[in-house]
Amino acid sequence: MAKILISPSKYLQGAGEMKNIGTYAAKCGKKALVLISQGGYRRIGAMIEESFAGSDCNVVFDYFNGECCESEINRLVAIVKEKGCDLVIGVGGGKIFDTAKAVAYYAEKPVFICPTIASTDAPCSALSVVYTEEGVFERYLFLPANPNLVLMDTDIIVKSPVRLTVAGMGDALATYFEARAGGKTTEAAMALAKLCFDTLMEEGVKAKIALEAGVCTPAVEKVIEANTLLSGIGFESAGLAGAHAIHNGFTVLEECHHMYHGEKVAFGTLTQLVLENVPLDELEDIILWCIEVGLPVTLAELGAGNVTDDQLMEVAKTACAETDTLHNMPFEVTP
């Protein structure tokens, strides 16, 4: 089997970089569709408009409907064609990125990803996770290319809720363990996945403390990179396994819909480690780290403390779906 390493064409991380988005866009197109939430537009819409005002690229804004689903993707593809846009820019969080990437793929346009949070490893990937309109996992859309640009403005990310960056740590936590379980990767991708894990262990708690104080320290910078770039390249070049499949299982429980992607992935990581029967001290180290940064380690903390065995079996069946990544584990896993 061939081994690969894939990454975005360009990754930019620094304070105030969103003020330059219009300049970067002008190098790639003449009219950009910016997909953003209404709240995101209230917070930074003026900054984006000002950046485009000083560039040779026009901008069209459209508000995200809240779910990366077929109907939303189709709606936005039609707008790209109707408005004559030649660039798609997703500004916000994971579902906006996945939608923007899917829209750009179907419309055959380049795509920029501009996170306002560091909550997932979605920004760098050539993958969109498509859900139903009700938020239940439906399918993976594998894309032929990674984003043309990923731009991380640390000034903006530091102002986001701390829980979101912690959720990003939960998503990134899975990277090394899923890569290790799959075992079909380049040495470079495995090294990035291991660096991602080591960074979380060394810097995660310090970064959380700094974020709670509203400051961007070297620990925060390193965790933003781990959550986004290291985890993004690591998971995509080394593959997913148990943790993300178990996350997908939890999407069938309405009780868990209020939890963030990375929070459910962190719980899935613990479940994968138990399935692998890792040494107890390794498992305890990860559990204690999760507790210290504030990631869920019990069903009750996921909001599922009162679910029935039948409901949990539905989670297990969904996690073990024929098309999901639990089958990348080095042994058979059944519901």
Side-chain angles (χ1 to χ4, degrees):
M1 176 178 280
K3 298 177 180 181
I4 59 169
L5 179 72
I6 49 181
S7 69
S9 299
K10 183 176 285 189
Y11 177 87
L12 282 170
Q13 178 177 318
E17 279 299 325
M18 191 69 86
K19 294 173 183 174
N20 302 319
I21 187 62
T23 303
Y24 299 133
K27 296 175 183 177
C28 206
K30 294 296 182 185
K31 182 183 279 190
L33 172 70
V34 173
L35 181 62
I36 193 170
S37 68
Q38 292 189 42
Y41 182 81
R42 285 194 298 270
R43 288 188 293 274
I44 61 170
M47 180 195 303
I48 296 171
E49 286 181 334
E50 188 175 331
S51 176
F52 275 92
S55 81
D56 295 326
C57 184
N58 295 318
V59 63
V60 174
F61 286 90
D62 202 279
Y63 293 142
F64 181 52
N65 277 350
E67 194 56 74
C68 181
C69 57
E70 297 290 350
S71 60
E72 177 71 345
I73 292 167
N74 293 338
R75 181 184 75 82
L76 290 160
V77 169
I79 289 172
V80 168
K81 293 177 179 177
E82 177 195 337
K83 302 287 188 182
C85 298
D86 53 9
L87 171 65
V88 179
I89 302 176
V91 179
K95 292 197 175 187
I96 286 180
F97 314 150
D98 281 1
T99 305
K101 286 184 286 185
V103 170
Y105 165 65
Y106 288 119
E108 299 181 323
K109 308 298 181 188
V111 62
F112 288 3
I113 299 298
C114 304
T116 57
I117 54 179
S119 65
T120 75
D121 52 20
C124 293
S125 75
L127 172 74
S128 290
V129 185
V130 181
Y131 297 85
T132 66
E133 292 183 3
E134 293 72 38
V136 177
F137 171 76
E138 189 166 85
R139 66 186 175 97
Y140 290 118
L141 173 63
F142 295 98
L143 305 167
N146 299 68
N148 301 77
L149 171 69
V150 176
L151 185 150
M152 304 290 291
D153 187 327
T154 51
D155 281 347
I156 292 172
I157 291 165
V158 167
K159 294 183 177 74
S160 69
V162 177
R163 181 184 165 194
L164 287 169
T165 303
V166 170
M169 293 190 225
D171 198 19
L173 176 66
T175 307
Y176 171 64
F177 296 113
E178 291 188 296
R180 185 178 71 177
K184 299 168 185 173
T185 180
T186 61
E187 293 299 308
M190 184 59 79
L192 290 174
K194 183 62 164 62
L195 177 60
C196 179
F197 173 71
D198 290 343
T199 300
L200 295 175
M201 294 300 106
E202 292 167 16
E203 311 291 348
V205 176
K206 291 187 286 182
K208 183 191 180 189
I209 292 168
L211 288 167
E212 286 172 340
V215 294
C216 190
T217 62
V220 172
E221 290 272 5
K222 289 178 182 178
V223 163
I224 290 171
E225 182 182 341
N227 286 7
T228 311
L229 182 64
L230 298 179
S231 182
I233 296 176
F235 99 76
E236 198 170 33
S237 300
L240 302 175
H244 275 81
I246 293 159
H247 159 275
N248 294 340
F250 276 113
T251 66
V252 306
L253 287 184
E254 196 171 327
E255 291 87 345
C256 298
H257 282 188
H258 68 290
M259 300 298 291
Y260 292 123
H261 170 85
E263 292 169 332
K264 288 178 280 190
V265 170
F267 191 90
T269 302
L270 297 177
T271 311
Q272 177 181 317
L273 293 173
V274 172
L275 284 168
E276 292 175 305
N277 193 30
V278 299
L280 188 59
D281 58 348
E282 180 181 358
L283 181 62
E284 286 184 342
D285 284 347
I286 305 302
I287 290 173
L288 289 172
W289 179 84
C290 286
I291 291 169
E292 200 165 1
V293 296
L295 289 165
V297 299
T298 66
L299 284 170
E301 289 173 343
L302 280 176
N306 296 317
V307 297
T308 64
D309 287 350
D310 287 343
Q311 285 177 290
L312 287 177
M313 184 53 71
E314 288 306 310
V315 172
K317 287 177 181 175
T318 302
C320 292
E322 193 175 322
T323 55
D324 217 323
T325 57
L326 201 48
H327 304 290
N328 291 337
M329 297 294 289
F331 46 80
E332 184 187 4
V333 182
T334 68

